[in-house]
Structure formats: C-alpha cells, structure tokens
Amino acid sequence: MTGGLRRVLFLSHSHAFRAFRVGSHHYARELARRGAEVVHLSTPISHVHRRLGRVSHSEESRVPRGPHRDRDGVTHLVPRTTMPTPFGTLTAGRALRQHGIDTRFDAVLIDQPLLWDDSVRGLSDRLVYRPTDLYPAGVKARMQKDIIAAADGVTATSGEVLRGLGPLRQPHLVVGNGVDTEHFVASAESERSDVCIYVGALDRRFDWQQVCAWAQARPRVRFVVVGPSPEPPVPLPENIELPGGVAYSTLPTLLHSARVGMLPLSDDPLNAGRSPMKLYEYLAAGLSVVARETPVLSDDVSAGLFTYSDEGTAIAALDDALSHASPNVAGVGRARQQSWSTKTDLLVDFVLKLPRR
C-alpha cells in the first residue's frame, strides 16, 4: 500500500534505458505496482554530452523522446537539452509542463543534486533527499547543501553517506539498497564450477589490478568482468573474459553460471559510502561474494560474504569464497530480507510521517 502517496516524482541521476538498474527504478516500480502514479525524471541528455562523446548515438537512440510509460506503469522522462545540468535553462517544473504532466505530487524524492532548482520545492508538500553517494566537493556538493536546506526529510543509502551530510535538522533514515529477489533466485541446481564474475560499471571505482592479481594467482579459475565498453588500463591474464554489457533481463542467467560474485572496489574515497546493489543480487543468485572491506561492507561468513582489506588478504578472501557451499543457500536467505518490497515499506512509512508544508 502507498497510503496517501497517490502521485510520486523521482528526480534521479540515471535513466532506465541502459543495462543498469538503480534504486530509484526499483522504488518507482514497487510504488506503481501498488497503485501510485509515478513519474521518473532523470538527468537530461545534452548536446554538449553528445559532442564530447559521453553519450553515444546508439545509447541515445534507445532513450524515448518524451514521456514513456513502462509495463509496470511508471512514466519515464529523459529531457534533451543544449547544455548539461545545472548550466542550462531547463527546470524540473518546466520539463514536466512541456510534456503535459501535472506538476503537483504527494512526494518528490531527489537523488541527483544536479536536478535541483527553485521549482522543485513547489512540486510537493513533501520533499525527500535520497543521497546515494558522497559529494565532498564541487558543483554537486554545493547543490546538495541547497537541497538539504529545503528538504523535509533525508533517506541515505548508507550510514557513511548520511554522516557525510553533517548535522541534519530534519528527520533522517538509512535505507540501504535492496534486491529484486525473485528476478535473481535460481531454481534447484547443482554445485557450480569455479567462475568468478563482476557485473557493473568499469570506472575509477573498479580495481582492475586486484582482479588481475586474483587471475594470476588462480589460473584455473575463470574471471568474467561484465560491463559496457570495458577499457582495462593494464594487460589482462588469459583467464579474464570481457563479454561487454548485458541486459538486466538476461543478468540472472549469467550469474547462475558463476560461483563467486566480485566487488573489487578501488581505493577511491567515494567507495567508502557505497551500498552496492550487486551484493544482494549476487547473494540472491546463489553466489558467495568476495569484496573489499569498507565502512559499509564487512565479513558475514555464514551468508558467504568474505572481505579483504589489502593485497595480502585478498587471495585468502577469494579462496574462502570459492570454497563456500555452492549454490549459496544462506546468502539467498539474507538477500530475501533485503527485498525492494521491504525497502519500499520503510520508505513509504518514513515519507508519510513527515510534516507537510
């Protein structure tokens, strides 16, 4: 149930027409399935981004122009602009009105600081900031301060992200990322072969050096690194495979072929606050997990999560994950406790208790 949340707007950093799914996509789906009218407005595709090659023609061609209602009933809107946000003239309110979308909502949830403008506060009596990352400096940090000053409540995806905001005057809550459990759980199966897999972005927060070290130390193990346009900065051992990006719909089949899910986080400071969605997707798919230890991620041996703190402990953590029971039934149980349905219950309860302006 959505209570009094009949119309909800998400202002999100990521659109839903690429392989990745982020938290706002899952919350939007859950709320729409419960009967709410949900609009998901994400970061515009700008002419500047196209000219700089940050958005390819093929990627843009997959993104509808104008509102697109998906099978769950969520209306997605990805504006096209000349300048990237926040440097252009487009505002959230103007983007909605241009496409005939009513601009009054029972709640607005924003996770993209760059989508903040003065019109947002007037879209609803309940404004919730839902930070998913650390913004220590720059434009996003400055705009985040403005959002916090205007927001009625804050729900962060990790305790580390919440602490990064500093003292808050308004109600606040940590709601970590969840998992679409039924999408990933496998039917009855036998023990899996020694395949380690990573699925996700291959940016500066991914530790190529660590994956290479694992592959060199365990040459009989296959290491599969799945992500769009992989460009490894180092030569790769022969037992590392790069199949490219995969669709979200086909991801479970790929994960069910592996034994271990990898979260090789680099030493980038922004990794400290991450609540990686892949953790619970791996566990739900029956994998054990090897991950770099962070303030958010630590050992849970009974559930098949093994962490390392440096190069000296990384090989042992990988070996523990490889020797863990397969499929990882205990991990599936932990993942079920983190379903997006449960997370949505927490979010709705929090929003409905906020004072209305």
Side-chain angles (χ1 to χ4, degrees):
M1 298 296 291
T2 61
L5 302 183
R6 294 178 297 273
R7 298 193 76 239
V8 181
L9 172 66
F10 287 89
L11 299 176
S12 175
H13 53 74
S14 299
H15 65 70
F17 303 100
R18 53 169 60 101
F20 300 132
R21 294 291 180 271
V22 299
S24 62
H25 302 154
H26 293 288
Y27 282 126
R29 180 196 66 234
E30 288 291 328
L31 289 169
R33 288 178 177 177
R34 299 180 187 197
E37 181 183 349
V38 182
V39 177
H40 188 280
L41 192 158
S42 53
T43 309
I45 295 175
S46 74
H47 178 69
V48 171
H49 285 143
R50 291 193 295 271
R51 289 291 300 270
L52 293 176
R54 295 182 182 178
V55 179
S56 67
H57 175 74
S58 60
E59 178 184 346
E60 184 181 4
S61 66
R62 294 192 294 270
V63 180
R65 291 183 175 273
H68 172 81
R69 188 178 176 90
D70 68 19
R71 68 178 67 182
D72 295 308
V74 179
T75 298
H76 296 270
L77 179 59
V78 186
R80 278 13 182 230
T81 59
T82 301
M83 297 293 294
T85 53
F87 305 109
T89 59
L90 185 74
T91 67
R94 185 177 299 128
L96 295 168
R97 286 191 295 272
Q98 283 178 350
H99 296 283
I101 299 174
D102 185 355
T103 58
R104 284 297 297 175
F105 296 86
D106 296 305
V108 172
L109 296 100
I110 179 171
D111 63 53
Q112 168 58 293
L114 298 181
L115 286 175
W116 173 255
D117 64 72
D118 291 339
S119 76
V120 173
R121 178 64 265 188
L123 301 177
S124 177
D125 295 332
R126 297 187 184 99
L127 174 63
V128 177
Y129 181 41
R130 200 181 69 83
T132 62
D133 221 332
L134 293 167
Y135 304 116
V139 175
K140 288 185 178 181
R142 295 195 297 272
M143 299 188 76
Q144 178 175 254
K145 289 182 180 179
D146 293 338
I147 299 173
I148 292 172
D152 302 305
V154 175
T155 63
T157 52
S158 73
E160 195 70 13
V161 167
L162 185 65
R163 284 188 288 274
L165 302 178
L168 297 174
R169 59 169 177 77
Q170 60 272 87
H172 49 272
L173 182 69
V174 173
V175 184
N177 283 320
V179 60
D180 185 1
T181 313
E182 299 311 315
H183 183 64
F184 288 95
V185 171
S187 56
E189 55 182 313
S190 58
E191 185 171 343
R192 302 175 187 179
S193 57
D194 288 347
V195 177
C196 300
I197 192 168
Y198 170 82
V199 179
L202 299 171
D203 55 20
R204 65 183 184 180
R205 296 194 282 188
F206 179 82
D207 190 350
W208 282 104
Q209 297 282 359
Q210 183 56 67
V211 177
C212 288
W214 280 331
Q216 290 168 345
R218 298 294 177 262
R220 295 185 179 181
V221 177
R222 287 175 54 214
F223 292 83
V224 182
V225 177
V226 179
S229 304
E231 296 181 3
V234 293
L236 301 182
E238 292 184 358
N239 56 330
I240 295 181
E241 303 172 15
L242 305 177
V246 300
Y248 182 75
S249 60
T250 64
L251 184 54
T253 300
L254 189 61
L255 294 181
H256 297 162
S257 68
R259 187 183 187 103
V260 175
M262 299 183 291
L263 287 172
L265 306 178
S266 72
D267 58 5
D268 190 301
L270 297 183
N271 275 327
R274 289 184 69 184
S275 172
M277 222 174 296
K278 286 293 171 282
L279 168 61
Y280 293 118
E281 292 178 353
Y282 290 157
L283 293 177
L287 284 70
S288 56
V289 178
V290 59
R292 182 167 184 166
E293 184 179 36
T294 71
V296 179
L297 295 173
S298 58
D299 271 346
D300 186 348
V301 174
S302 62
L305 170 57
F306 303 91
T307 59
Y308 60 94
S309 56
D310 51 37
E311 293 180 8
T313 57
I315 297 297
L318 175 67
D319 288 342
D320 287 339
L322 284 166
S323 62
H324 190 75
S326 174
N328 180 14
V329 176
V332 174
R334 176 172 171 179
R336 288 191 185 278
Q337 298 171 5
Q338 305 295 329
S339 71
W340 282 114
S341 178
T342 299
K343 304 289 183 180
T344 303
D345 289 340
L346 293 172
L347 184 65
V348 169
D349 182 67
F350 176 80
V351 173
L352 289 176
K353 289 179 179 177
L354 294 176
R356 304 183 66 167
R357 291 199 186 188

